[in-house]
Amino acid sequence: MWRRLRSALRRLRGSSVASLPGGGSCRPPTARGAMERAVVRCVPSEPKLSVRFVLPDGSAKHMQRDQAEPLGRALARIATNAAKGHAKAAKKSKKARAEGGPAGDAAAAVAPAVRLFSRDGEVVGEEVPNAAAWQDGAVLQIGEAQYRVERNPPALTELQLPRSLLAGFPVCPKVSAEFAAPQHCLFRWYRQQRPAASGEEAAAGDDGPAWVETAASERVFTPCNALVGLRLKLRCTPGDGAQRYGPPREVESSGPVEAGPGACTFDSRHLYTRKVCGQGSVRAVSYNILADTYAQTEFSRTVLYPYCAPYALEVDYRQNLLKKELAGYSADLICLQEVDKSVFVDSLTPALDAFGLEGVFKIKEKQHEGLATFYRRDKFSLLSQHDIAFSEALLSDPLHKELCDKLAKYPLVQEKVLQRSSVLQVSVLQSTTDLSRKICVANTHLYWHPKGGNIRLIQIAVALSHIKHVACDLYPSIPVVFCGDFNSTPSSGTYSFINSGAIAEDHEDWVSNGEEERCNMTLSHPFKLLSACGEPAYTNYVGGFHGCLDYIFIDKNALEVEQVIPLPSHEEVTTHQALPSVSHPSDHIALVCDLKWK
């Protein structure tokens, strides 16, 4: 029976098991260090709590009880379960005797006395509600067995390693925990032991490969070239920052570490961004990262990016490059476009969280990709979000009624505008060191079609009107940083409108798709915006096109540019003909600049 008990306890807690202490059924607890564990999960927002423990007969119990229920009922249920377990054990013992086996205790099943003692050794009254009774450090006594109550101990709910591992690129595990935080967890990394040379005895047993512990104990591990061909294993112990630790879990990589691509387009840029900016400055990044939903089509492989090796278009490979690139910028604000929802949840969020950034996501209407904004948590906290879908806001928000009425005169254009899935992400952040300092960070990806200049003008008008509402009405006079892929070159009407504050009704972009879709109107906005990174020769470089489409616009009344991180050289961009490539994860180039308050 004890062998079964130890096995069940290991399955329940994932750790070694000490012997169960003896004692009278009603004695207060004495030897806390020798007790087994009764794990209680009690969350105020849920109606029930759970209690998990292993009875002396080796059976694991997992009870769900109402939080408001009197303790006495829960203890009575435990006593009943214990009696049933004892009866089963007695029945087996009687059968064993009849078959000539070893004799056992065949005494009649009697419900053992069950008590709950507080940390001070006092019996907890049976009328006390479960939620108040099951406190951390209390002791549950079932007959002779005693259990230390652990209420809401740290526990891992998910532990994953990326599917693709490259030498020289950070491996960022996905860690989800309850009553714990990844930054308080303990990490130990292991590498697979190299297979024995021919003629030598293999070190691995029947259970799989042998593992060798590395010197790494950080959350993020960067494998070196010596580990190419070997798998990795991670052992994670959840912690809550208050010296409480839960049972560890282990995860092995699905494949071995592979060789990296060598020099990447962003390596030289990282020389400028080794350190995080000081408190008076903000490093901002805007980057269209190329959604997997667009990169992995037959059209992309054969028409858009035929020059790119197929494996370099796969999301797992590109994510390796992207995570290293973004981490190396040491940014305070990162605005991303074309972010697959799964990439945000499973890849970017855990990776950037490990580097001190938190993120929010806004998916496009009826799409699998959208916008993501990340901010450095020790510099900023998120005050509020004000995301919109352009088409929905145009129809339903009184803020845009005047524009909506103007657009109604041009039904063909109106229909196209309302069909678009484009969205605007607006986040208001507050400095963690100076609570009076706030900033409005906007992020968007405008309509892509080369002849859609008129559509983009309407979209940017809605965007700027909404940003004005947030940055002037809701939070008066806070500075604006507006990032995105605007799909507009410096010669376009959209860029001119953002930069100058107005667009004339006779601008050529109002007839960008021919006379049938002519749409003439005068628009204006109150901001004084400046392209922080200027007008690069290109931010998008593919086989059939290159041009400047991406910008970081800043409120020049409140912010100034401290430094612009140089873009990769033309030679670096065209090493593999165009983008994306084995050394660059997207068809766009990240814009990076350091800003400071005036």
Side-chain angles (χ1 to χ4, degrees):
M1 182 180 75
W2 291 109
R3 189 176 292 112
R4 292 198 307 273
L5 173 56
R6 288 176 182 275
S7 176
L9 278 167
R10 286 192 185 99
R11 290 196 303 273
L12 179 65
R13 300 305 304 150
S15 57
S16 60
V17 177
S19 300
L20 289 174
S25 61
C26 295
R27 286 204 307 267
T30 54
R32 288 177 180 265
M35 296 179 197
E36 300 302 341
R37 306 162 96 180
V39 178
V40 175
R41 181 182 180 278
C42 183
V43 180
S45 60
E46 298 177 7
K48 292 181 181 292
L49 58 72
S50 67
V51 184
R52 291 187 293 128
F53 56 91
V54 176
L55 288 170
D57 66 1
S59 60
K61 297 300 176 184
H62 187 183
M63 300 172 52
Q64 298 276 347
R65 310 299 297 183
D66 286 335
Q67 292 196 28
E69 173 191 64
L71 172 66
R73 293 185 186 177
L75 297 182
R77 171 56 64 183
I78 293 173
T80 300
N81 288 339
K84 288 179 180 178
H86 185 78
K88 287 181 180 179
K91 187 175 181 181
K92 287 182 180 179
S93 176
K94 184 176 181 181
K95 183 179 179 182
R97 269 203 322 277
E99 295 175 353
D105 181 10
V110 178
V114 180
R115 297 285 187 274
L116 185 66
F117 295 89
S118 69
R119 292 176 63 95
D120 300 327
E122 300 294 326
V123 175
V124 180
E126 294 190 352
E127 75 284 355
V128 177
N130 279 323
W134 297 93
Q135 293 297 323
D136 194 56
V139 173
L140 171 67
Q141 186 159 347
I142 306 174
E144 299 292 317
Q146 295 181 333
Y147 304 80
R148 183 181 69 255
V149 173
E150 293 189 15
R151 179 172 172 137
N152 298 341
L156 292 172
T157 57
E158 186 175 18
L159 184 64
Q160 289 183 7
L161 291 177
R163 287 173 292 192
S164 172
L165 310 176
L166 295 182
F169 289 76
V171 178
C172 308
K174 183 180 182 184
V175 182
S176 300
E178 190 173 46
F179 316 119
Q183 59 265 35
H184 300 309
C185 296
L186 304 178
F187 298 90
R188 297 302 304 174
W189 291 89
Y190 302 80
R191 64 165 177 84
Q192 180 184 359
Q193 184 166 308
R194 285 205 176 275
S198 178
E200 296 180 9
E201 184 179 349
D206 296 334
D207 296 332
W211 297 97
V212 178
E213 187 171 352
T214 71
S217 59
E218 300 296 326
R219 181 173 167 189
V220 177
F221 176 63
T222 302
C224 61
N225 288 329
L227 300 186
V228 170
L230 302 179
R231 291 167 59 202
L232 300 180
K233 181 173 78 170
L234 171 64
R235 180 181 176 90
C236 178
T237 303
D240 63 0
Q243 297 302 309
R244 287 209 312 167
Y245 293 96
R249 280 173 61 173
E250 293 183 349
V251 62
E252 298 176 12
S253 63
S254 57
V257 176
E258 298 177 335
C264 291
T265 54
F266 46 80
D267 289 341
S268 59
R269 309 186 80 190
H270 287 171
L271 299 176
Y272 297 86
T273 59
R274 286 175 173 166
K275 295 182 179 180
V276 177
C277 287
Q279 284 297 337
S281 301
V282 177
R283 180 167 298 141
V285 173
S286 184
Y287 198 1
N288 179 326
I289 64 172
L290 179 58
D292 181 53
T293 191
Y294 305 140
Q296 288 281 55
T297 65
E298 186 65 23
F299 183 73
S300 296
R301 288 189 290 266
T302 58
V303 179
L304 290 180
Y305 318 119
Y307 47 83
C308 184
Y311 74 86
L313 285 174
E314 293 179 2
V315 65
D316 292 336
Y317 180 88
R318 293 194 300 115
Q319 283 301 302
N320 271 300
L321 273 63
L322 183 64
K323 287 183 281 191
K324 182 175 183 178
E325 179 177 8
L326 291 176
Y329 290 141
S330 306
D332 302 309
L333 299 174
I334 301 179
C335 292
L336 303 176
Q337 304 85 43
E338 287 196 26
V339 183
D340 300 275
K341 185 176 182 180
S342 60
V343 166
F344 176 81
V345 172
D346 296 325
S347 180
L348 292 177
T349 295
L352 293 178
D353 179 74
F355 291 101
L357 296 144
E358 294 187 17
V360 289
F361 181 71
K362 173 64 176 177
I363 198 164
K364 285 184 180 178
E365 300 286 294
K366 303 175 184 176
Q367 300 286 329
H368 298 288
E369 53 93 1
L371 308 170
T373 298
F374 290 87
Y375 55 92
R376 186 163 296 280
R377 72 168 68 89
D378 63 2
K379 272 194 176 182
F380 295 105
S381 61
L382 180 65
L383 270 187
S384 57
Q385 294 175 254
H386 308 271
D387 306 341
I388 60 168
F390 290 130
S391 57
E392 182 184 343
L394 192 57
L395 284 178
S396 61
D397 193 334
L399 201 63
H400 312 295
K401 186 179 186 306
E402 183 181 349
L403 178 60
C404 193
D405 291 343
K406 289 181 181 179
L407 188 60
K409 299 175 184 177
Y410 308 99
L412 286 178
V413 179
Q414 182 186 46
E415 183 182 7
K416 278 198 170 181
V417 169
L418 297 179
Q419 287 174 345
R420 304 279 71 82
S421 60
S422 307
V423 294
L424 172 73
Q425 187 178 39
V426 181
S427 309
V428 177
L429 305 177
Q430 183 177 46
S431 168
T432 56
T433 56
D434 181 355
L435 299 184
S436 66
R437 185 167 280 179
K438 301 177 183 68
I439 190 167
C440 175
V441 181
N443 183 16
T444 196
H445 186 187
L446 300 185
Y447 180 46
W448 65 272
H449 200 284
K451 294 184 178 180
N454 54 351
I455 307 299
R456 285 187 286 276
L457 278 170
I458 299 298
Q459 289 182 333
I460 200 63
V462 174
L464 290 167
S465 180
H466 183 71
I467 294 169
K468 173 182 176 291
H469 173 63
V470 174
C472 299
D473 300 336
L474 300 182
Y475 297 91
S477 303
I478 66 171
V480 172
V481 175
F482 191 7
C483 302
D485 176 357
F486 294 82
N487 273 310
S488 305
T489 63
S491 63
S492 68
T494 295
Y495 182 84
S496 175
F497 176 43
I498 297 171
N499 219 34
S500 68
I503 189 81
E505 64 179 347
D506 60 351
H507 193 281
E508 62 182 1
D509 272 15
W510 287 124
V511 68
S512 61
N513 201 30
E515 285 293 334
E516 283 189 1
E517 293 186 20
R518 173 182 287 275
C519 170
N520 297 102
M521 60 182 80
T522 302
L523 299 173
S524 64
H525 69 81
F527 298 109
K528 302 296 182 183
L529 297 175
L530 167 75
S531 174
C533 297
E535 301 171 5
Y538 51 78
T539 60
N540 175 234
Y541 198 104
V542 294
F545 170 83
H546 62 272
C548 181
L549 304 177
D550 306 83
Y551 306 93
I552 298 176
F553 291 105
I554 63 170
D555 185 344
K556 60 185 179 183
N557 287 336
L559 299 168
E560 60 183 336
V561 180
E562 200 169 41
Q563 174 185 218
V564 176
I565 308 306
L567 272 66
S569 69
H570 185 67
E571 289 71 27
E572 290 172 317
V573 171
T574 58
T575 296
H576 302 281
Q577 188 174 335
L579 306 178
S581 70
V582 295
S583 61
H584 192 86
S586 175
D587 54 346
H588 286 249
I589 300 170
L591 295 175
V592 188
C593 63
D594 292 352
L595 311 172
K596 66 177 180 179
W597 271 267
K598 284 188 173 180

